[in-house]
Amino acid sequence: DVQLVESGGGLVKPGGSLRLSCAASGFTFSTYTMNWVRQAPGKGLEWVSSISGSSSYIYYADSVKGRFTISRDNAKNSLCLQMNSLSAEDTAVYYCAGGPDIGAAINGCDTWGQGTMVTVSS
Amino acid sequence: EVVLTQSPGTLSLSPGERAALSCRASQSVSSSFLAWYQQKPGQAPRLLIYGASSRATGIPDRFSGSGSGTDFTLTISRLEPEDFAVYYCQQYGDSPPITFGGGTQVEIK
C-alpha cells in the first residue's frame, strides 16, 4: 500500500526549532515531488514547501522562507522539514504530500500522510 | 501569486442533489495545473481531480471537473452521504507558490 507517515510534531516554545520527518512506502519515492502542506486549526490548506525527486528544485512559501528547510533522502525513502524560529502562526497540522515528478514544476498531490500537529506556545 | 476564491462558502444540499462548486482565479491558470481535493473532518485531503478535468484513481464518475482560464467548477452529479465534506481547489505548476482556495463546505440540508 502507498503510505506516508509523518512524525516529529509536538509542543515548542516561540523561537524554538522542530524537525518533522515523513517516511514513505509503497511507491518509487525518488520519482515523486514531495511537499509539506499545513493547516492551522479550523482553517484551510496552506502550501509550505516542495522538493523535486532529485532535490534539484526546491521551493518555499514566503511565510517560511529563511526559517524552514526541506530535504529528502531517497535511499531511506524519507522527507524532512527543519523548522527554526517558530512562532504561534506556525501552529498547524503539517501534512507530507506527494505527486509524480514533472521536472521543475510542482504537481498535484495524489498521496498524503495523516499529518503531525505542531503547536507553538509558551 | 494566484489567489483562488471559492464559492459558495457553504452549500446546503440533500443526498441525491447536484452540487456545483466554483473556483475563480485572480489570473489565468493553466488547465493542466488545477486540482480539486476533498477533506473530511480529522482526515487528510484526498485528490479528486487534476488537470482541471481528469479524475484521480478510484474517484467515482459522479465527480467531474471543468473550466479554463480563471473559472473552474467541480460538479458532483448526485450527492452520496459520504460526499458531505470540505472541498478545496488548488493551482500548482511551474510558477510557485502553490495556492489553495479557501474551501467550500458541502453540508446536509
Side-chain angles (χ1 to χ4, degrees):
Chain A
D1 286 354
V2 173
Q3 195 171 19
L4 294 172
V5 179
E6 302 93 338
S7 60
L11 176 63
V12 61
K13 289 181 167 53
S17 298
L18 212 55
R19 185 176 180 86
L20 304 183
S21 297
C22 174
S25 60
F27 63 102
T28 306
F29 183 68
S30 62
T31 66
Y32 263 55
T33 290
M34 297 303 297
N35 308 269
W36 289 98
V37 176
R38 67 186 181 183
Q39 187 168 36
K43 303 297 184 182
L45 302 170
E46 179 189 14
W47 169 74
V48 172
S49 182
S50 300
I51 183 168
S52 64
S54 62
S55 302
S56 297
Y57 303 101
I58 291 176
Y59 307 101
Y60 296 99
D62 285 346
S63 58
V64 307
K65 202 172 294 183
R67 300 188 299 122
F68 290 11
T69 302
I70 191 171
S71 62
R72 66 189 296 159
D73 185 336
N74 287 343
K76 296 181 178 179
N77 288 348
S78 69
L79 174 73
C80 287
L81 184 69
Q82 176 67 41
M83 304 187 296
N84 298 329
S85 303
L86 287 162
S87 69
E89 288 69 39
D90 298 313
T91 294
V93 173
Y94 284 73
Y95 293 103
C96 164
D101 251 0
I102 47 173
I106 303 168
N107 208 346
C109 298
D110 62 7
T111 302
W112 293 71
Q114 281 306 300
T116 187
M117 182 70 203
V118 172
T119 303
V120 184
S121 175
S122 55
Chain B
E1 173 178 325
V2 177
V3 176
L4 300 178
T5 302
Q6 291 188 240
S7 61
T10 302
L11 199 50
S12 299
L13 295 168
S14 301
E17 289 193 296
R18 178 187 182 92
L21 287 63
S22 172
C23 176
R24 183 159 292 176
S26 60
Q27 57 190 274
S28 186
V29 172
S30 168
S31 296
S32 299
F33 299 137
L34 193 287
W36 290 92
Y37 297 86
Q38 176 193 68
Q39 188 179 32
K40 297 179 180 180
Q43 296 186 18
R46 177 175 70 145
L47 178 66
L48 299 175
I49 301 288
Y50 64 95
S53 60
S54 298
R55 271 188 302 276
T57 303
I59 301 304
D61 61 6
R62 64 180 180 273
F63 291 92
S64 63
S66 63
S68 64
T70 60
D71 288 299
F72 298 88
T73 301
L74 174 70
T75 301
I76 310 171
S77 59
R78 295 173 312 279
L79 283 164
E80 297 288 341
E82 62 267 28
D83 299 336
F84 292 92
V86 180
Y87 293 83
Y88 295 94
C89 59
Q90 176 207 35
Q91 67 85 27
Y92 52 98
D94 56 6
S95 299
I98 292 175
T99 52
F100 290 91
T104 290
Q105 179 163 9
V106 178
E107 64 175 24
I108 300 177
K109 187 174 181 180

